[in-house]
Amino acid sequence: VVSSAPLALATGEAGGRGDLSWAGRGPVIAHLDLDAFFAAVEVLDDPDLQGRPVVVGGTGPRGVVASCSYEARRFGVSSAMPMVEARRRCPQAVLRPLRPGRYREVGRAFLALLQEASAVVEPVGLDEAYLVLRRAGSRGGDPLLAARQLRERVAEQLGLSSAVGVAAKKHLAKLASRAAKRLPPKERQGQEVVVVPPEAEAAFLAPLALGELPGVGPVTARRLAACGLHRVGDLRTVPRSALRRLLGPAAGDRLWALAQGELDEPVRPPAPRRSISKVLTFPEDLHHAPEIRRAVLALAVAVGEELASRGLLARSVVLGLRDANHHDHRRTLSNLSVTGPWSVLRPALALVDRLPLPGTVRAVSVGVHGLRGDPPVRQSPLPGLGEPGLGEPGLGEHHTWRVARGTPAATPEVSGQLDQIVAAVRARFGPRAALPASVLVGRGDQGEAVGPGSLVVVPSALREDWG
DNA sequence: TCTGGGGTCCTAGGACCC
DNA sequence: TCTGGGGTCCTAGGACCC
């Protein structure tokens, strides 16, 4: 419990159960945050790593640390740090590449556990979530006890340690769980759950640095500091209009409300996804359009495949570029009907010419926005393809369907047809049975011998090789 | 030390409509 | 002929989150 003496932390044990002044009424929200999530999953899957410095992240020359164990943190390793620097600080660390699929799997189990405990759960990424432990105005059991039990259940059933913050408001629950994380898990005994009761809110917030608040990043913190504002307490007498002028209406209002103790954002179940995107950062900056096109090609196909596998339809395609100075540039094409690889590819390639191509390109991204549900399922565009009896192509054998003259992906109609063909081939022969030719050929020295938009149906005997 | 990948939301200007 | 005010959508850029 955080008393009015700020950060005098103790657990609920101190006051016993259910005797908090707010325990009888009022909303109670918990924020649960897993410790060193990706690294913890790696330890879970390889117990030999227990107790050792583990660093998970990108392996290339420009990789960064995505997650690291507390043992690694003792050496000054932290997330978002370049991998090169992490190795310098902790040469004995065990380095592991990212396994996104595995983290999603564990994340789903985590979410399922939380959903057993509360009807209203808002996940944040894979490793945190807000839960409504008690709705406003309702009575019920001891929310603090519930929070402790939940944390224990996560530890027992998933083997993952966590910190929990409990408060009447969302942002305070988050700040409370962060307070619990000031100590490494092993030294946290008895302080794994930090509670900020309503009467302690103001005293808890006042000394916090503005940059620690959720929603206040480096830029906003710098703008505030330039006006002599460093801690939440400094904002008490700043008029709302001044904060709006400084930070814009939305951020200004929000920060003002927070400082007045009036910020109360709802815990919301996850909304449907709004976009799908893929980024590729090059080992070295690129200088030429053809290399960029090749990257766009691979990214567009990957995005389109995910779109198709989810059965979604997108309204716009976005091409992004990061230059050597880390500035981002984006170009959008809207009013499209995008369903899969080929229909992402065509607009994405068209957008390359509209980007201001600087001397150096550090990264390229392709995304689709304006997602809508199920594209209409139409019957196979290829006679016989959906029927039993059509064999797979043999080695060295090609199945060719002419869809249109000229560049195959030349029009939206044709790329839409290609997406349908691919979907039909894959439904029958598996997900890797049909791939864009230039992606395959582009792996070798053949360059673009088969142009972008061509379709290759791959015999199963070759699929492993194609990767 | 020189900075990933996947997202969300906000802002500001302009087009367009009533 | 020149004008207000409100609404929506699009685009590009940017801040922020994990």
Side-chain angles (χ1 to χ4, degrees):
Chain A
V1 176
V2 175
S3 68
S4 50
L7 295 184
L9 309 180
T11 63
E13 321 275 5
R17 287 175 191 153
D19 65 345
L20 291 169
S21 59
W22 61 320
R25 292 214 160 269
V28 180
I29 293 165
H31 179 258
L32 206 144
D33 193 335
L34 298 177
D35 292 319
F37 180 54
F38 297 168
V41 172
E42 295 303 327
V43 176
L44 211 57
D45 291 350
D46 182 358
D48 288 349
L49 299 180
Q50 187 74 53
R52 298 174 62 187
V54 178
V55 177
V56 183
T59 46
R62 285 175 162 173
V64 300
V65 176
S67 172
C68 58
S69 67
Y70 281 81
E71 289 81 4
R73 290 179 199 194
R74 274 207 282 277
F75 291 88
V77 179
S78 61
S79 65
M81 172 182 285
M83 210 59 158
V84 178
E85 173 65 10
R87 299 173 79 145
R88 198 184 64 72
R89 294 189 183 205
C90 185
Q92 67 271 49
V94 180
L95 307 180
R96 287 286 152 103
L98 289 157
R99 295 188 298 154
R102 178 65 179 139
Y103 308 141
R104 268 195 298 275
E105 191 177 36
V106 180
R108 274 195 297 272
F110 172 58
L111 185 57
L113 249 183
L114 303 187
Q115 283 167 336
E116 282 174 25
S118 169
V120 188
V121 179
E122 178 180 333
V124 181
L126 296 174
D127 62 337
E128 326 179 351
Y130 297 93
L131 299 84
V132 176
L133 290 183
R134 190 175 67 201
R135 274 194 292 249
S138 72
R139 307 187 71 85
D142 178 356
L144 188 47
L145 181 64
R148 277 205 303 274
Q149 288 174 342
L150 188 59
R151 206 196 77 88
E152 279 157 26
R153 226 173 302 151
V154 169
E156 283 163 17
Q157 296 191 20
L158 301 178
L160 297 169
S161 77
S162 57
V164 184
V166 179
K169 293 174 182 136
K170 210 173 156 183
H171 63 288
L172 287 156
K174 166 92 178 169
L175 289 164
S177 74
R178 191 179 296 170
K181 288 200 166 213
R182 293 155 77 94
L183 293 173
K186 282 174 191 162
E187 300 163 36
R188 217 181 276 158
Q189 251 81 31
Q191 304 184 11
E192 299 95 341
V193 180
V194 169
V195 182
V196 181
E199 67 272 12
E201 288 177 4
F204 175 70
L205 280 175
L208 289 184
L210 289 165
E212 291 185 47
L213 300 175
V216 178
V219 175
T220 303
R222 213 181 319 123
R223 275 180 202 154
L224 292 163
C227 299
L229 304 168
H230 304 281
R231 304 193 174 275
V232 179
D234 298 342
L235 294 178
R236 271 218 76 88
T237 57
V238 178
R240 194 164 84 127
S241 58
L243 285 178
R244 286 174 66 105
R245 269 198 308 278
L246 187 63
L247 307 176
D253 281 353
R254 184 178 180 278
L255 193 56
W256 183 81
L258 187 149
Q260 303 300 312
E262 287 169 15
L263 184 66
D264 194 5
E265 293 166 333
V267 177
R268 276 185 301 199
R273 265 234 268 190
R274 304 177 72 92
S275 65
I276 297 172
S277 66
K278 305 259 176 227
V279 198
L280 181 63
T281 299
F282 305 110
E284 289 175 1
D285 290 351
L286 297 188
H287 302 89
H288 305 296
E291 306 168 295
I292 294 165
R293 281 204 174 77
R294 191 163 308 171
V296 169
L297 180 75
L299 290 167
V301 168
V303 167
E305 284 179 346
E306 189 172 336
L307 186 70
S309 75
R310 293 174 185 275
L312 295 171
L313 193 129
R315 187 172 167 73
S316 53
V317 170
V318 182
L319 179 68
L321 177 154
R322 174 165 289 176
D323 66 27
N325 300 322
H326 269 249
H327 287 122
D328 291 324
H329 305 272
R330 290 202 302 240
R331 292 296 180 270
T332 313
L333 264 171
S334 280
N335 241 318
L336 309 171
S337 184
V338 181
T339 52
W342 275 267
S343 47
V344 177
L345 185 53
R346 195 188 61 91
L349 286 172
L351 286 169
V352 173
D353 299 321
R354 290 194 12 206
L355 274 173
L357 277 182
T360 48
V361 175
R362 180 182 183 87
V364 168
S365 68
V366 173
V368 289
H369 292 242
L371 265 30
R372 279 178 293 153
D374 320 86
V377 182
R378 283 191 260 167
Q379 38 178 244
S380 167
L382 300 179
L385 194 60
E387 298 159 17
L390 177 76
E392 289 196 57
L395 292 181
E397 191 182 325
H398 300 231
H399 285 187
T400 304
W401 298 281
R402 180 168 294 273
V403 179
R405 285 189 177 281
T407 309
T411 69
E413 291 72 29
V414 171
S415 41
Q417 283 182 44
L418 278 165
D419 283 333
Q420 285 186 53
I421 292 169
V422 173
V425 169
R426 287 179 176 168
R428 190 152 158 63
F429 299 117
R432 303 212 64 82
L435 297 169
S438 42
V439 168
L440 296 172
V441 177
R443 289 157 48 95
D445 301 327
Q446 303 294 314
E448 311 263 319
V450 181
S454 302
L455 170 66
V456 167
V457 177
V458 186
S460 53
L462 286 179
R463 268 168 222 163
E464 291 303 310
D465 294 342
W466 292 115

